[in-house]
Amino acid sequence: MVLRSLCVLRAQAASLSGLPAALLPGGSGLDLPGSGLVLRSLSTDVFQNLALEDWIHDNVDLQSRSILLLWRNSAAVVVGRHQNPWQECDLRLMRRSGVPVARRRSGGGTVFHDPGNLNLTFFSSRKNYDRARNLRVVTGALRALRPGIDVRATDRFDILLDGHYKISGTAAKLGRTAAYHHCTLLCSADRPLLASLLRPTCHGIHSNATASLPAPVQNLMDHDPSLTPESITRQLAQQYLAEFGSGGLPVVPVQPSDPAFGGIDRAAAALRGWDWTHGRTPRFSVDTALELADGAAAATASVHLEVKAGRVEACRLGVAPEWLPGGPPARLAARLLGARFCPSEAAAVAEAFLRAEGGGATGARLGDLCDKMVALM
Amino acid sequence: MAMRVALRCVPANFSHKGPRLSHLAQISAALQLRRTDLTRTLSTTSQFSTALKFTDKHEWVQVDGKVGTVGISNFAQEALGDVVYCGLPEIGQKLENMEEFGALESVKAASELYSPLTGEVTEVNTDLAENPSLVNKACYKEGWLIKMTIENPSELDGLMDDAAYEKFIKSLE
């Protein structure tokens, strides 16, 4: 009965419009002999996949069923719920490279996603939430593919290769009656890009946002070329179904943009929005110096900024009076109040400021001060 | 809030974890439960202004005049593990009953907070910024999360008293 209904669903051109309804309380239930199900997202958009995660968590009856969702994204940096993206990654470089920043709803640290990095989300009831058990599925799958491989979960729920290289990090969200635990798995990620992006945008940030713990990483494919995302995906599905009790069922592909997943596009748009990705940053301050120059001479200015909900709440510029008279820098600082701590808004403020005050002898130095301020963000 | 508790006039096992209710208040609370299917003609909340009320999401609210203090229960802080970060709303933010208003991040997971009432945030516990573990150590006292106005006092009737909450968490185990 179960396999027949799944075959019918798969026959619908790999787009399972029946699947979401079947998984909802009161739906046809996909009465499974065991209680585990493996889904694979067909989307590579990090915001759609994060929205899909939330949809499953909020809408599927997870009291008697466990689900593993497998997903991969195009390049993106994903920060934890309470983190500071300016601190965790180089937003400037990311803008130039077209790599978006996303903020997930679970806690934990920052990770780099790309097609070489597998994402696994283990959904369960809150009672059955067990990260160690989930990670045993992962280490078990890797050992099945490559006997003797040294992979171990730590007490922080990282997975280490050869006792040293981090190949997986974990984060989780507990809801009222359900929970999800997700983790990454480095198969063949672009490590040089990862290293260049996971650096602060600017220095001198003080905040109590949760900080990431940097660790040396390695790709599983570098360790053994047979450990591809595809081979690992297949083995993970098998291992999961063996552990969670529904051996033999196929991995079910899901398309988040399918209208049957009501509201996912709206949720993805909210996750993509600046107010969530940047505006949810815990309050922080920046204390740093700007190196000013006008082609002939140089000077240093001090900057103090306070940023709340992603907007400038306080700004103080300390510029030597020989370099610039006190008035204009103070007026620039005042104009920045209330603006988003973001280069496009800062540039607009700077442009208006320079139109008003940028003429005359100090014009070049004021222009330089503005450029350096914008470059901070 | 479903009142699926067995009605007793005096709870037999009074929990020592919450503040003490007077004997009279306990009886009155039990009688209140009996009345849930009748029209509420009495506003009963003002008599119990110092008693804690609980939601099924393990938040508590303590009413003092027109202001409610909100926190999470001992059951919740134990389940959460060591809290490392409190994501709380801003003063002035308007909250709807059952709306998500923040999240607590612990070593175990991030866990959302749901407003027990409709109202406006008047105060946020700033001690938690430096000392998030207060939520674990003193969840009913120094570990309070926010204070808020109470726009609809009748919403308090829909919350569980201490005895009902104890029964509720036993039913979860």
mmCIF file of all heavy atoms in Angstrom, chain A residues 89-133:
data_model
loop_
_atom_site.group_PDB
_atom_site.id
_atom_site.type_symbol
_atom_site.label_atom_id
_atom_site.label_comp_id
_atom_site.label_asym_id
_atom_site.label_seq_id
_atom_site.Cartn_x
_atom_site.Cartn_y
_atom_site.Cartn_z
ATOM 1 N N CYS A 89 31.660 37.104 8.779
ATOM 2 C CA CYS A 89 32.054 36.902 7.383
ATOM 3 C C CYS A 89 32.354 38.235 6.707
ATOM 4 O O CYS A 89 31.983 39.298 7.201
ATOM 5 C CB CYS A 89 30.962 36.147 6.623
ATOM 6 S SG CYS A 89 29.339 36.910 6.709
ATOM 7 N N ASP A 90 33.037 38.172 5.597
ATOM 8 C CA ASP A 90 33.443 39.374 4.864
ATOM 9 C C ASP A 90 32.313 39.744 3.902
ATOM 10 O O ASP A 90 32.276 39.270 2.757
ATOM 11 C CB ASP A 90 34.752 39.089 4.116
ATOM 12 C CG ASP A 90 35.340 40.353 3.503
ATOM 13 O OD1 ASP A 90 34.586 41.341 3.319
ATOM 14 O OD2 ASP A 90 36.538 40.347 3.186
ATOM 15 N N LEU A 91 31.407 40.590 4.377
ATOM 16 C CA LEU A 91 30.214 40.913 3.593
ATOM 17 C C LEU A 91 30.584 41.644 2.303
ATOM 18 O O LEU A 91 29.905 41.507 1.291
ATOM 19 C CB LEU A 91 29.243 41.758 4.429
ATOM 20 C CG LEU A 91 28.637 41.017 5.630
ATOM 21 C CD1 LEU A 91 27.915 41.985 6.565
ATOM 22 C CD2 LEU A 91 27.673 39.930 5.165
ATOM 23 N N ARG A 92 31.662 42.407 2.358
ATOM 24 C CA ARG A 92 32.098 43.145 1.162
ATOM 25 C C ARG A 92 32.499 42.176 0.067
ATOM 26 O O ARG A 92 32.056 42.263 -1.076
ATOM 27 C CB ARG A 92 33.307 44.005 1.528
ATOM 28 C CG ARG A 92 33.198 45.427 1.046
ATOM 29 C CD ARG A 92 34.327 46.328 1.488
ATOM 30 N NE ARG A 92 35.299 45.780 2.387
ATOM 31 C CZ ARG A 92 35.297 45.955 3.702
ATOM 32 N NH1 ARG A 92 34.326 46.639 4.267
ATOM 33 N NH2 ARG A 92 36.253 45.423 4.451
ATOM 34 N N LEU A 93 33.351 41.218 0.430
ATOM 35 C CA LEU A 93 33.816 40.229 -0.534
ATOM 36 C C LEU A 93 32.649 39.380 -1.025
ATOM 37 O O LEU A 93 32.571 39.018 -2.202
ATOM 38 C CB LEU A 93 34.897 39.356 0.116
ATOM 39 C CG LEU A 93 35.572 38.302 -0.755
ATOM 40 C CD1 LEU A 93 36.109 38.920 -2.041
ATOM 41 C CD2 LEU A 93 36.702 37.617 0.022
ATOM 42 N N MET A 94 31.737 39.103 -0.144
ATOM 43 C CA MET A 94 30.581 38.301 -0.535
ATOM 44 C C MET A 94 29.712 39.035 -1.545
ATOM 45 O O MET A 94 29.210 38.433 -2.493
ATOM 46 C CB MET A 94 29.765 37.917 0.706
ATOM 47 C CG MET A 94 30.460 36.808 1.495
ATOM 48 S SD MET A 94 29.793 36.595 3.147
ATOM 49 C CE MET A 94 28.125 36.149 2.788
ATOM 50 N N ARG A 95 29.543 40.353 -1.325
ATOM 51 C CA ARG A 95 28.754 41.128 -2.290
ATOM 52 C C ARG A 95 29.420 41.083 -3.651
ATOM 53 O O ARG A 95 28.781 40.884 -4.674
ATOM 54 C CB ARG A 95 28.604 42.581 -1.835
ATOM 55 C CG ARG A 95 27.430 42.816 -0.908
ATOM 56 C CD ARG A 95 27.216 44.291 -0.647
ATOM 57 N NE ARG A 95 28.360 44.911 -0.011
ATOM 58 C CZ ARG A 95 28.538 45.024 1.316
ATOM 59 N NH1 ARG A 95 27.649 44.543 2.148
ATOM 60 N NH2 ARG A 95 29.622 45.600 1.797
ATOM 61 N N ARG A 96 30.756 41.250 -3.656
ATOM 62 C CA ARG A 96 31.482 41.256 -4.942
ATOM 63 C C ARG A 96 31.407 39.894 -5.611
ATOM 64 O O ARG A 96 31.391 39.801 -6.828
ATOM 65 C CB ARG A 96 32.956 41.619 -4.714
ATOM 66 C CG ARG A 96 33.184 43.104 -4.513
ATOM 67 C CD ARG A 96 34.572 43.522 -4.962
ATOM 68 N NE ARG A 96 35.636 42.843 -4.225
ATOM 69 C CZ ARG A 96 36.181 43.304 -3.097
ATOM 70 N NH1 ARG A 96 35.753 44.432 -2.566
ATOM 71 N NH2 ARG A 96 37.145 42.629 -2.495
ATOM 72 N N SER A 97 31.379 38.817 -4.787
ATOM 73 C CA SER A 97 31.369 37.465 -5.358
ATOM 74 C C SER A 97 29.960 36.924 -5.581
ATOM 75 O O SER A 97 29.815 35.786 -6.024
ATOM 76 C CB SER A 97 32.105 36.485 -4.428
ATOM 77 O OG SER A 97 33.225 37.073 -3.843
ATOM 78 N N GLY A 98 28.960 37.705 -5.209
ATOM 79 C CA GLY A 98 27.585 37.226 -5.398
ATOM 80 C C GLY A 98 27.196 36.112 -4.447
ATOM 81 O O GLY A 98 26.322 35.294 -4.742
ATOM 82 N N VAL A 99 27.828 36.065 -3.280
ATOM 83 C CA VAL A 99 27.487 35.030 -2.289
ATOM 84 C C VAL A 99 26.596 35.667 -1.221
ATOM 85 O O VAL A 99 27.023 36.592 -0.544
ATOM 86 C CB VAL A 99 28.768 34.462 -1.631
ATOM 87 C CG1 VAL A 99 28.414 33.447 -0.552
ATOM 88 C CG2 VAL A 99 29.671 33.835 -2.685
ATOM 89 N N PRO A 100 25.366 35.189 -1.062
ATOM 90 C CA PRO A 100 24.477 35.810 -0.088
ATOM 91 C C PRO A 100 24.775 35.342 1.339
ATOM 92 O O PRO A 100 25.369 34.288 1.554
ATOM 93 C CB PRO A 100 23.085 35.309 -0.507
ATOM 94 C CG PRO A 100 23.350 33.999 -1.173
ATOM 95 C CD PRO A 100 24.715 34.087 -1.797
ATOM 96 N N VAL A 101 24.330 36.156 2.301
ATOM 97 C CA VAL A 101 24.378 35.711 3.700
ATOM 98 C C VAL A 101 22.948 35.356 4.117
ATOM 99 O O VAL A 101 21.996 36.048 3.760
ATOM 100 C CB VAL A 101 24.995 36.794 4.625
ATOM 101 C CG1 VAL A 101 24.114 38.038 4.705
ATOM 102 C CG2 VAL A 101 25.219 36.235 6.021
ATOM 103 N N ALA A 102 22.823 34.248 4.829
ATOM 104 C CA ALA A 102 21.515 33.822 5.333
ATOM 105 C C ALA A 102 21.639 33.665 6.834
ATOM 106 O O ALA A 102 22.726 33.428 7.362
ATOM 107 C CB ALA A 102 21.112 32.494 4.688
ATOM 108 N N ARG A 103 20.527 33.822 7.534
ATOM 109 C CA ARG A 103 20.507 33.597 8.986
ATOM 110 C C ARG A 103 19.501 32.478 9.231
ATOM 111 O O ARG A 103 18.368 32.550 8.782
ATOM 112 C CB ARG A 103 20.067 34.873 9.717
ATOM 113 C CG ARG A 103 19.998 34.704 11.248
ATOM 114 C CD ARG A 103 19.427 35.938 11.911
ATOM 115 N NE ARG A 103 20.240 37.122 11.645
ATOM 116 C CZ ARG A 103 21.248 37.547 12.404
ATOM 117 N NH1 ARG A 103 21.572 36.885 13.499
ATOM 118 N NH2 ARG A 103 21.919 38.624 12.068
ATOM 119 N N ARG A 104 19.947 31.445 9.928
ATOM 120 C CA ARG A 104 18.991 30.367 10.185
ATOM 121 C C ARG A 104 18.303 30.584 11.533
ATOM 122 O O ARG A 104 18.694 31.463 12.293
ATOM 123 C CB ARG A 104 19.691 29.009 10.127
ATOM 124 C CG ARG A 104 20.911 28.929 10.970
ATOM 125 C CD ARG A 104 21.549 27.537 10.945
ATOM 126 N NE ARG A 104 22.456 27.449 12.059
ATOM 127 C CZ ARG A 104 23.740 27.779 12.005
ATOM 128 N NH1 ARG A 104 24.286 28.142 10.863
ATOM 129 N NH2 ARG A 104 24.474 27.709 13.085
ATOM 130 N N ARG A 105 17.295 29.774 11.807
ATOM 131 C CA ARG A 105 16.562 29.915 13.074
ATOM 132 C C ARG A 105 17.176 29.123 14.205
ATOM 133 O O ARG A 105 16.801 29.305 15.364
ATOM 134 C CB ARG A 105 15.103 29.462 12.895
ATOM 135 C CG ARG A 105 14.317 30.398 12.039
ATOM 136 C CD ARG A 105 12.822 30.176 12.201
ATOM 137 N NE ARG A 105 12.118 30.861 11.156
ATOM 138 C CZ ARG A 105 11.872 32.171 11.172
ATOM 139 N NH1 ARG A 105 12.255 32.900 12.179
ATOM 140 N NH2 ARG A 105 11.249 32.734 10.161
ATOM 141 N N SER A 106 18.059 28.216 13.885
ATOM 142 C CA SER A 106 18.699 27.442 14.947
ATOM 143 C C SER A 106 19.894 28.228 15.459
ATOM 144 O O SER A 106 20.344 29.200 14.849
ATOM 145 C CB SER A 106 19.129 26.088 14.409
ATOM 146 O OG SER A 106 19.992 26.262 13.299
ATOM 147 N N GLY A 107 20.419 27.794 16.570
ATOM 148 C CA GLY A 107 21.558 28.485 17.140
ATOM 149 C C GLY A 107 22.853 28.069 16.460
ATOM 150 O O GLY A 107 22.859 27.641 15.313
ATOM 151 N N GLY A 108 23.948 28.203 17.188
ATOM 152 C CA GLY A 108 25.221 27.709 16.687
ATOM 153 C C GLY A 108 25.984 28.732 15.864
ATOM 154 O O GLY A 108 25.671 29.930 15.860
ATOM 155 N N GLY A 109 26.992 28.244 15.161
ATOM 156 C CA GLY A 109 27.966 29.110 14.497
ATOM 157 C C GLY A 109 27.772 29.225 12.991
ATOM 158 O O GLY A 109 26.799 28.743 12.422
ATOM 159 N N THR A 110 28.733 29.878 12.357
ATOM 160 C CA THR A 110 28.644 30.193 10.930
ATOM 161 C C THR A 110 29.213 29.074 10.086
ATOM 162 O O THR A 110 30.247 28.496 10.410
ATOM 163 C CB THR A 110 29.425 31.493 10.659
ATOM 164 O OG1 THR A 110 28.785 32.539 11.380
ATOM 165 C CG2 THR A 110 29.441 31.831 9.182
ATOM 166 N N VAL A 111 28.532 28.788 8.974
ATOM 167 C CA VAL A 111 29.029 27.772 8.044
ATOM 168 C C VAL A 111 28.961 28.293 6.615
ATOM 169 O O VAL A 111 28.116 29.123 6.281
ATOM 170 C CB VAL A 111 28.223 26.458 8.118
ATOM 171 C CG1 VAL A 111 28.630 25.624 9.300
ATOM 172 C CG2 VAL A 111 26.740 26.709 8.123
ATOM 173 N N PHE A 112 29.844 27.762 5.805
ATOM 174 C CA PHE A 112 29.855 28.053 4.384
ATOM 175 C C PHE A 112 29.136 26.918 3.665
ATOM 176 O O PHE A 112 29.423 25.748 3.923
ATOM 177 C CB PHE A 112 31.310 28.156 3.915
ATOM 178 C CG PHE A 112 31.460 28.237 2.424
ATOM 179 C CD1 PHE A 112 31.184 29.409 1.747
ATOM 180 C CD2 PHE A 112 31.885 27.129 1.696
ATOM 181 C CE1 PHE A 112 31.326 29.488 0.369
ATOM 182 C CE2 PHE A 112 32.029 27.191 0.315
ATOM 183 C CZ PHE A 112 31.750 28.376 -0.348
ATOM 184 N N HIS A 113 28.194 27.256 2.808
ATOM 185 C CA HIS A 113 27.481 26.250 2.020
ATOM 186 C C HIS A 113 27.889 26.378 0.571
ATOM 187 O O HIS A 113 28.020 27.487 0.042
ATOM 188 C CB HIS A 113 25.968 26.501 2.085
ATOM 189 C CG HIS A 113 25.331 26.089 3.375
ATOM 190 N ND1 HIS A 113 23.965 25.923 3.505
ATOM 191 C CD2 HIS A 113 25.835 25.817 4.592
ATOM 192 C CE1 HIS A 113 23.675 25.576 4.734
ATOM 193 N NE2 HIS A 113 24.783 25.514 5.430
ATOM 194 N N ASP A 114 28.036 25.244 -0.099
ATOM 195 C CA ASP A 114 28.085 25.220 -1.560
ATOM 196 C C ASP A 114 27.742 23.804 -1.975
ATOM 197 O O ASP A 114 27.532 22.939 -1.108
ATOM 198 C CB ASP A 114 29.430 25.741 -2.088
ATOM 199 C CG ASP A 114 30.583 24.764 -1.938
ATOM 200 O OD1 ASP A 114 30.372 23.618 -1.474
ATOM 201 O OD2 ASP A 114 31.712 25.136 -2.291
ATOM 202 N N PRO A 115 27.667 23.508 -3.279
ATOM 203 C CA PRO A 115 27.201 22.176 -3.668
ATOM 204 C C PRO A 115 28.073 21.041 -3.130
ATOM 205 O O PRO A 115 27.643 19.885 -3.128
ATOM 206 C CB PRO A 115 27.241 22.226 -5.201
ATOM 207 C CG PRO A 115 27.069 23.671 -5.530
ATOM 208 C CD PRO A 115 27.793 24.414 -4.451
ATOM 209 N N GLY A 116 29.289 21.365 -2.664
ATOM 210 C CA GLY A 116 30.144 20.307 -2.117
ATOM 211 C C GLY A 116 29.934 20.080 -0.640
ATOM 212 O O GLY A 116 30.637 19.293 -0.010
ATOM 213 N N ASN A 117 28.950 20.799 -0.071
ATOM 214 C CA ASN A 117 28.670 20.676 1.361
ATOM 215 C C ASN A 117 27.255 20.154 1.505
ATOM 216 O O ASN A 117 26.302 20.787 1.066
ATOM 217 C CB ASN A 117 28.818 22.060 2.008
ATOM 218 C CG ASN A 117 28.851 21.998 3.507
ATOM 219 O OD1 ASN A 117 28.582 20.958 4.110
ATOM 220 N ND2 ASN A 117 29.184 23.103 4.138
ATOM 221 N N LEU A 118 27.127 18.965 2.087
ATOM 222 C CA LEU A 118 25.808 18.356 2.260
ATOM 223 C C LEU A 118 25.150 18.865 3.538
ATOM 224 O O LEU A 118 25.802 18.941 4.570
ATOM 225 C CB LEU A 118 25.977 16.847 2.450
ATOM 226 C CG LEU A 118 25.675 15.915 1.292
ATOM 227 C CD1 LEU A 118 25.832 14.480 1.763
ATOM 228 C CD2 LEU A 118 24.275 16.119 0.750
ATOM 229 N N ASN A 119 23.863 19.179 3.465
ATOM 230 C CA ASN A 119 23.110 19.533 4.664
ATOM 231 C C ASN A 119 22.137 18.419 5.008
ATOM 232 O O ASN A 119 21.469 17.883 4.116
ATOM 233 C CB ASN A 119 22.320 20.824 4.436
ATOM 234 C CG ASN A 119 23.238 22.016 4.347
ATOM 235 O OD1 ASN A 119 23.839 22.404 5.324
ATOM 236 N ND2 ASN A 119 23.375 22.566 3.160
ATOM 237 N N LEU A 120 22.081 18.086 6.273
ATOM 238 C CA LEU A 120 21.164 17.048 6.737
ATOM 239 C C LEU A 120 20.310 17.650 7.845
ATOM 240 O O LEU A 120 20.849 18.257 8.767
ATOM 241 C CB LEU A 120 21.928 15.880 7.360
ATOM 242 C CG LEU A 120 22.861 15.033 6.518
ATOM 243 C CD1 LEU A 120 24.178 15.721 6.228
ATOM 244 C CD2 LEU A 120 23.145 13.734 7.242
ATOM 245 N N THR A 121 19.004 17.491 7.763
ATOM 246 C CA THR A 121 18.145 17.931 8.865
ATOM 247 C C THR A 121 17.356 16.730 9.369
ATOM 248 O O THR A 121 16.637 16.083 8.615
ATOM 249 C CB THR A 121 17.167 19.027 8.408
ATOM 250 O OG1 THR A 121 17.889 20.056 7.759
ATOM 251 C CG2 THR A 121 16.434 19.603 9.611
ATOM 252 N N PHE A 122 17.524 16.456 10.654
ATOM 253 C CA PHE A 122 16.826 15.345 11.298
ATOM 254 C C PHE A 122 15.631 15.913 12.055
ATOM 255 O O PHE A 122 15.816 16.656 13.022
ATOM 256 C CB PHE A 122 17.751 14.635 12.298
ATOM 257 C CG PHE A 122 18.971 14.001 11.687
ATOM 258 C CD1 PHE A 122 20.119 14.742 11.459
ATOM 259 C CD2 PHE A 122 18.971 12.648 11.353
ATOM 260 C CE1 PHE A 122 21.248 14.160 10.894
ATOM 261 C CE2 PHE A 122 20.105 12.057 10.799
ATOM 262 C CZ PHE A 122 21.236 12.811 10.563
ATOM 263 N N PHE A 123 14.424 15.583 11.601
ATOM 264 C CA PHE A 123 13.203 16.055 12.265
ATOM 265 C C PHE A 123 12.671 14.937 13.153
ATOM 266 O O PHE A 123 12.628 13.780 12.751
ATOM 267 C CB PHE A 123 12.120 16.382 11.231
ATOM 268 C CG PHE A 123 12.461 17.521 10.317
ATOM 269 C CD1 PHE A 123 13.103 17.288 9.112
ATOM 270 C CD2 PHE A 123 12.136 18.827 10.662
ATOM 271 C CE1 PHE A 123 13.418 18.344 8.257
ATOM 272 C CE2 PHE A 123 12.446 19.882 9.811
ATOM 273 C CZ PHE A 123 13.085 19.634 8.603
ATOM 274 N N SER A 124 12.205 15.327 14.343
ATOM 275 C CA SER A 124 11.626 14.327 15.230
ATOM 276 C C SER A 124 10.689 15.033 16.192
ATOM 277 O O SER A 124 10.634 16.260 16.225
ATOM 278 C CB SER A 124 12.727 13.619 16.033
ATOM 279 O OG SER A 124 13.306 14.539 16.950
ATOM 280 N N SER A 125 9.995 14.237 17.013
ATOM 281 C CA SER A 125 9.253 14.837 18.107
ATOM 282 C C SER A 125 10.277 15.371 19.106
ATOM 283 O O SER A 125 11.448 14.960 19.097
ATOM 284 C CB SER A 125 8.369 13.799 18.784
ATOM 285 O OG SER A 125 9.188 12.844 19.432
ATOM 286 N N ARG A 126 9.827 16.233 19.960
ATOM 287 C CA ARG A 126 10.752 16.787 20.954
ATOM 288 C C ARG A 126 11.278 15.688 21.868
ATOM 289 O O ARG A 126 12.444 15.692 22.260
ATOM 290 C CB ARG A 126 10.030 17.863 21.753
ATOM 291 C CG ARG A 126 11.008 18.752 22.441
ATOM 292 C CD ARG A 126 10.362 19.986 23.004
ATOM 293 N NE ARG A 126 11.230 20.499 24.058
ATOM 294 C CZ ARG A 126 11.414 21.772 24.335
ATOM 295 N NH1 ARG A 126 10.762 22.680 23.657
ATOM 296 N NH2 ARG A 126 12.219 22.141 25.297
ATOM 297 N N LYS A 127 10.412 14.728 22.143
ATOM 298 C CA LYS A 127 10.817 13.609 23.006
ATOM 299 C C LYS A 127 11.941 12.799 22.382
ATOM 300 O O LYS A 127 12.820 12.297 23.081
ATOM 301 C CB LYS A 127 9.618 12.668 23.203
ATOM 302 C CG LYS A 127 8.988 12.746 24.558
ATOM 303 C CD LYS A 127 8.008 11.608 24.762
ATOM 304 C CE LYS A 127 6.722 12.168 25.331
ATOM 305 N NZ LYS A 127 5.601 11.310 25.366
ATOM 306 N N ASN A 128 11.881 12.612 21.084
ATOM 307 C CA ASN A 128 12.859 11.760 20.415
ATOM 308 C C ASN A 128 14.086 12.511 19.921
ATOM 309 O O ASN A 128 14.890 11.971 19.178
ATOM 310 C CB ASN A 128 12.199 11.036 19.227
ATOM 311 C CG ASN A 128 11.141 10.064 19.708
ATOM 312 O OD1 ASN A 128 11.244 9.523 20.803
ATOM 313 N ND2 ASN A 128 10.113 9.859 18.907
ATOM 314 N N TYR A 129 14.205 13.755 20.321
ATOM 315 C CA TYR A 129 15.350 14.583 19.902
ATOM 316 C C TYR A 129 16.629 13.979 20.481
ATOM 317 O O TYR A 129 16.811 13.913 21.686
ATOM 318 C CB TYR A 129 15.127 16.003 20.421
ATOM 319 C CG TYR A 129 16.273 16.969 20.296
ATOM 320 C CD1 TYR A 129 16.671 17.455 19.059
ATOM 321 C CD2 TYR A 129 16.918 17.461 21.424
ATOM 322 C CE1 TYR A 129 17.694 18.391 18.957
ATOM 323 C CE2 TYR A 129 17.934 18.399 21.329
ATOM 324 C CZ TYR A 129 18.319 18.864 20.096
ATOM 325 O OH TYR A 129 19.313 19.794 19.987
ATOM 326 N N ASP A 130 17.507 13.547 19.608
ATOM 327 C CA ASP A 130 18.711 12.853 20.080
ATOM 328 C C ASP A 130 19.819 13.089 19.061
ATOM 329 O O ASP A 130 19.946 12.361 18.071
ATOM 330 C CB ASP A 130 18.390 11.349 20.229
ATOM 331 C CG ASP A 130 19.533 10.578 20.857
ATOM 332 O OD1 ASP A 130 20.672 11.100 20.905
ATOM 333 O OD2 ASP A 130 19.312 9.432 21.290
ATOM 334 N N ARG A 131 20.636 14.103 19.313
ATOM 335 C CA ARG A 131 21.657 14.471 18.330
ATOM 336 C C ARG A 131 22.706 13.380 18.181
ATOM 337 O O ARG A 131 23.191 13.123 17.079
ATOM 338 C CB ARG A 131 22.321 15.797 18.723
ATOM 339 C CG ARG A 131 21.394 16.991 18.533
ATOM 340 C CD ARG A 131 21.970 18.257 19.127
ATOM 341 N NE ARG A 131 22.084 18.190 20.579
ATOM 342 C CZ ARG A 131 22.623 19.137 21.331
ATOM 343 N NH1 ARG A 131 23.110 20.222 20.766
ATOM 344 N NH2 ARG A 131 22.688 19.002 22.639
ATOM 345 N N ALA A 132 23.049 12.727 19.294
ATOM 346 C CA ALA A 132 24.074 11.682 19.219
ATOM 347 C C ALA A 132 23.620 10.543 18.307
ATOM 348 O O ALA A 132 24.395 10.018 17.496
ATOM 349 C CB ALA A 132 24.395 11.149 20.619
ATOM 350 N N ARG A 133 22.352 10.190 18.446
ATOM 351 C CA ARG A 133 21.826 9.095 17.615
ATOM 352 C C ARG A 133 21.862 9.484 16.139
ATOM 353 O O ARG A 133 22.210 8.685 15.266
ATOM 354 C CB ARG A 133 20.386 8.779 18.043
ATOM 355 C CG ARG A 133 19.769 7.615 17.305
ATOM 356 C CD ARG A 133 18.321 7.412 17.720
ATOM 357 N NE ARG A 133 17.750 6.230 17.080
ATOM 358 C CZ ARG A 133 16.438 6.007 16.954
ATOM 359 N NH1 ARG A 133 15.572 6.870 17.443
ATOM 360 N NH2 ARG A 133 16.001 4.928 16.354
#
